[in-house]
Amino acid sequence: GASLHIRSLVVQNEGWRFEDLSPTVLEDDRCPEVLQMRGYTLRREQARQVAVTTPGHHEMDHGELVLVSRAAVSFCDGAADLTDEAPPQTSSAAPRGGGGRLSFGGALEGQTPPPARAAWCSSALSLQPGAELRVPLVLPVPSLVRYEVQLLDASRSSLGLQPSLVLSLLPSRGEAVLPPTLLDTAAGSPPPGTIHVPGSGIFHLVLQNTSLLREATVSAAVTHRPAEGGPSAEEEEEEKRAEAVERAAELAVLRQQDEALAASEKELSQRLWEVQETRRRQAAMMELVQRDLATLQGRGEGEAAMGPLRTANAP
């Protein structure tokens, strides 16, 4: 297996940018329906890719990729040990201490098969509106891919709105193993899931933020292991414990939301009572004013009728 720790890295390039589509393009029959709905496209000008193709633990310092040790390091709690089935090291790169800092790269060596088990994780990453994260998976045998995505507090708005996250598992060629699927973020973080990949090859697990305005800040973890033989009893128990913890966290979020709704309902009830009481007072004042107005109007009409009589009786 392989692991990578990025200590310092500065990337300056053209990057990716959103470009509005002109009315002529949008009205063209050849324009895909999804682009007609969005009204813009994503231009991928330049990107920096870091490829770790040799087993072991690596570090990137000031943009330089170096081999630190021949044993990979697991950064994720509960992730599989990447060194259990690590293939023998055939690269000529020497670890730190045996021959100094040595940079390396290039394509995967033909004599080095991909590991049957691997893990990737990030404690915090931000996805801008429309951006996506692609995690490459090299599967030598049919495998089970397990994913876990947790929304961090920065993704939640004051109105309780959540970003829209879509997950898919795409092979380098052929049909999608998991078509773009909307993750359920209504109650907070979506539950973890497992995807069965019946074949082998190069795949990408893609997490996309389809929100037009909201940035998504998440922690994520991806692991894969051979599907043959199924999970061990310890792995099944660990999955059950993880699911129980996830459900408990989901229940806690639901309870917090229910308490907030109850407080809002109480506040609205108090406000409704105040409005109703104010309207009652207004109605009573309107009735009193109407009576006074009727009295004044009746008195004015009586005085107007008595005027001619006084004129006729005058000497």
Side-chain angles (χ1 to χ4, degrees):
S3 59
L4 171 64
H5 181 196
I6 299 179
R7 293 187 176 275
S8 61
L9 173 63
V10 178
V11 178
Q12 293 181 344
N13 54 36
E14 296 297 327
W16 296 3
R17 59 187 176 88
F18 294 96
E19 185 175 289
D20 294 333
L21 298 177
S22 65
T24 304
V25 174
L26 293 174
E27 295 172 1
D28 195 310
D29 295 337
R30 293 171 296 178
C31 182
E33 182 179 359
V34 64
L35 294 183
Q36 292 178 350
M37 294 174 60
R38 290 179 178 175
Y40 65 90
T41 185
L42 179 61
R43 300 293 184 186
R44 303 179 182 182
E45 303 292 349
Q46 292 181 325
R48 172 69 182 273
Q49 293 185 348
V50 179
V52 178
T53 59
T54 303
H57 178 55
H58 314 76
E59 289 186 358
M60 176 162 283
D61 193 2
H62 298 289
E64 182 185 12
L65 184 64
V66 297
L67 176 65
V68 178
S69 66
R70 301 185 187 277
V73 176
S74 174
F75 297 102
C76 306
D77 295 336
D81 186 359
L82 305 184
T83 62
D84 290 344
E85 302 182 12
Q89 174 66 268
T90 59
S91 172
S92 59
R96 182 185 298 172
R101 301 168 64 90
L102 182 61
S103 301
F104 64 94
L108 186 68
E109 298 180 50
Q111 299 179 354
T112 305
R117 297 171 179 259
W120 172 93
C121 69
S122 175
S123 58
L125 59 89
S126 298
L127 292 175
Q128 298 296 325
E132 66 180 25
L133 167 70
R134 302 177 70 91
V135 180
L137 303 173
V138 182
L139 307 180
V141 294
S143 303
L144 295 178
V145 177
R146 180 174 175 81
Y147 64 87
E148 183 174 355
V149 179
Q150 292 186 350
L151 281 172
L152 303 182
D153 292 339
S155 296
R156 301 184 175 93
S157 68
S158 57
L159 299 177
L161 300 177
Q162 307 288 10
S164 178
L165 299 177
V166 172
L167 186 74
S168 58
L169 182 57
L170 309 176
S172 57
R173 277 183 263 173
E175 298 181 356
V177 178
L178 176 67
T181 303
L182 182 65
L183 297 180
D184 183 12
T185 59
S189 297
T194 302
I195 306 171
H196 179 260
V197 182
S200 60
I202 300 176
F203 301 81
H204 282 89
L205 190 66
V206 182
L207 179 65
Q208 183 180 15
N209 177 18
T210 58
S211 301
L212 298 179
L213 300 175
R214 289 200 56 76
E215 176 183 345
T217 304
V218 301
S219 63
V222 180
T223 61
H224 72 79
R225 58 177 174 78
E228 184 178 356
S232 64
E234 294 182 357
E235 289 174 333
E236 287 184 347
E237 188 64 26
E238 180 63 27
E239 289 184 0
K240 290 180 181 179
R241 285 197 296 266
E243 185 174 0
V245 170
E246 187 68 26
R247 292 300 181 184
E250 182 179 352
L251 180 60
V253 171
L254 290 174
R255 285 176 175 171
Q256 290 179 356
Q257 292 177 345
D258 185 67
E259 292 176 358
L261 290 173
S264 299
E265 182 181 12
K266 182 178 180 181
E267 183 179 354
L268 289 174
S269 298
Q270 178 66 23
R271 179 59 180 163
L272 178 61
W273 180 86
E274 293 176 356
V275 172
Q276 291 175 341
E277 185 65 22
T278 302
R279 290 197 63 190
R280 292 192 193 98
R281 295 176 184 175
Q282 288 288 107
M285 292 177 63
M286 289 173 58
E287 184 178 358
L288 180 60
V289 171
Q290 286 178 350
R291 291 178 182 176
D292 292 344
L293 179 60
T295 301
L296 292 174
Q297 289 176 343
R299 184 182 302 172
E301 292 175 356
E303 292 179 353
M306 291 296 294
L309 293 176
R310 292 173 181 170
T311 303
N313 294 331

